[in-house]
Amino acid sequence: MAHDNLFEPLKMGTQTLKNRIIMAPLTRLRAIEPGDVPTALASEYYSQRAGAGLVITEATQVSFQAKGYAGAPGIHTQDQTTAWKAIVDNVHAKGGKIVAQLWHTGLVAHKSLQPDSKAPISASDVKVGARTSLRDSDDQAIRVEATPPRPATIDEIKQVVADFAHATKCAQEAGFDGVEIHGAHGYLLHQFWVEHTNKRDDEYGGSKENRARLTLEVVDACIAAWDNDHVGIRISPQGAFNEVEAGYDEENNIWLIEQLNKRNLMYLHISEPDWVGGTPYSDGFRQRIRDAFDNMIIAAGGYTAEKASQNIQAGYIDAVAFGRDYIANPDLAERIRQGAPLNEQHPQTFYGGGTEGYTDYPFLDEKQA
Ligand code: FNR
């Protein structure tokens, strides 16, 4: 068997994963609008990938205000929760585990998707070069410039925290095995964390303690809504995503991870930036992350099975999440086990559309079309 250590079971909170190959969160922009409800096709797509040790859903809105991309689903209404329950049941029936990734896009949004067509909220009114997407008449994603943001009021910040807690409750009701807070990639929590987009002079801006306040309040609210064993978080230290650049801020990032560690979370998911042109992590930085966080660590971003196996062996991480390889290979874990070749990826069908490039990638025993 290739890369044996990827197939060792792994403790995640109170649960055990059957392997260490995880499906990364992947926005696919195929939800039903209006209402942002995931489809029956999504149920097929996720259950095809139940061979992963853990499936992490695409980023999923915690409120209508949290929406930045046409076609991204939510998990805050009853219809959404009911639709997710069918998906979760299907993944469980195939022997998989699945957690919901919860997001608020902040400034990576377009006003036409916002309640009352208002400008999206962020920490401040700093406009970055972020782009988002709308839908054309064929349900294909079209890229557009994000609408310049406005600073969130204190009441709106409190509402965001409450919305994450509510979404966590909805995820619990849908039967998910946990939630992953999206603290990465330049979305709302990250916009508060980095100095580039946070120019506030109240208790949510300035010092690192203040800039981390929203993230940590959200974490604490999600824990209060469920418990620490079912709440994980994804962050992207030194990320180069959505032009909300964090810079090389190693000390602050380690400090943030130490604060997260105090919460005894289900896991820490690190999105490494080199696949989008960011500086590759040094082994020294990986070791510092490991030293700062006691529970399960997942890494993602340009990994091969080989690199994942080595980094697990070195003790830097416990599991690996694959993004694009999971889009193109529903049976990725089995392919890695056998050392079998991977399907060719079709990036033009990553976002929006229907079955093509979604549920039609072949399994090992089928031929690629
Ligand atoms: C992503 N990624 C991503 N990340 C995240 O936290 N939430 C999301 O919804 C998405 N959506 C998304 C869609 C698509 C089409 C891509 C390609 C990527 C990032 C993803 O989880 C992962 O970190 C990257 O794909 C890098 O890993 P790979 O593809 O090199 O294995």
Side-chain angles (χ1 to χ4, degrees), residues 24-27 59 101 182 185 234 275 301-302 322-324 327 350-351:
L26 292 158
T27 291
Q101 191 188 48
H182 197 343
H185 298 173
R234 188 176 220 211
W275 71 285
F322 292 102
R324 291 159 294 175
I327 291 179
F350 280 0
Y351 299 107

Side-chain angles (χ1 to χ4, degrees), residues 184-185 190 234-241 245-250 253-254 257 268-290 297-301 303 307 311 316-317:
H185 298 173
H190 200 178
R234 188 176 220 211
I235 59 172
S236 51
Q238 299 158 27
F241 303 89
E245 177 57 52
Y248 193 82
D249 196 356
E250 185 163 322
N253 279 303
I254 293 297
I257 291 169
L268 175 68
H269 186 172
I270 300 287
S271 169
E272 300 186 16
D274 37 319
W275 71 285
V276 283
T279 312
Y281 285 6
S282 65
D283 285 346
F285 186 46
R286 289 203 177 90
Q287 186 62 52
R288 290 195 72 189
I289 295 174
R290 172 83 279 175
I297 297 179
I298 308 169
Y303 270 77
K307 179 173 164 188
N311 282 358
Y316 301 138
I317 60 173

Side-chain angles (χ1 to χ4, degrees), residues 92-143:
H92 285 165
K94 299 253 169 61
K97 286 194 180 292
I98 179 165
V99 301
Q101 191 188 48
L102 306 182
W103 74 347
H104 191 306
T105 58
L107 66 73
V108 192
H110 193 268
K111 65 179 180 191
S112 65
L113 303 172
Q114 287 285 300
D116 304 322
S117 299
K118 277 187 161 168
I121 61 162
S122 182
S124 303
D125 60 0
V126 178
K127 179 175 160 27
V128 296
R131 291 167 73 73
T132 180
S133 60
L134 301 177
R135 254 182 187 173
D136 68 12
S137 51
D138 296 326
D139 284 352
Q140 300 295 330
I142 36 171
R143 299 290 282 164

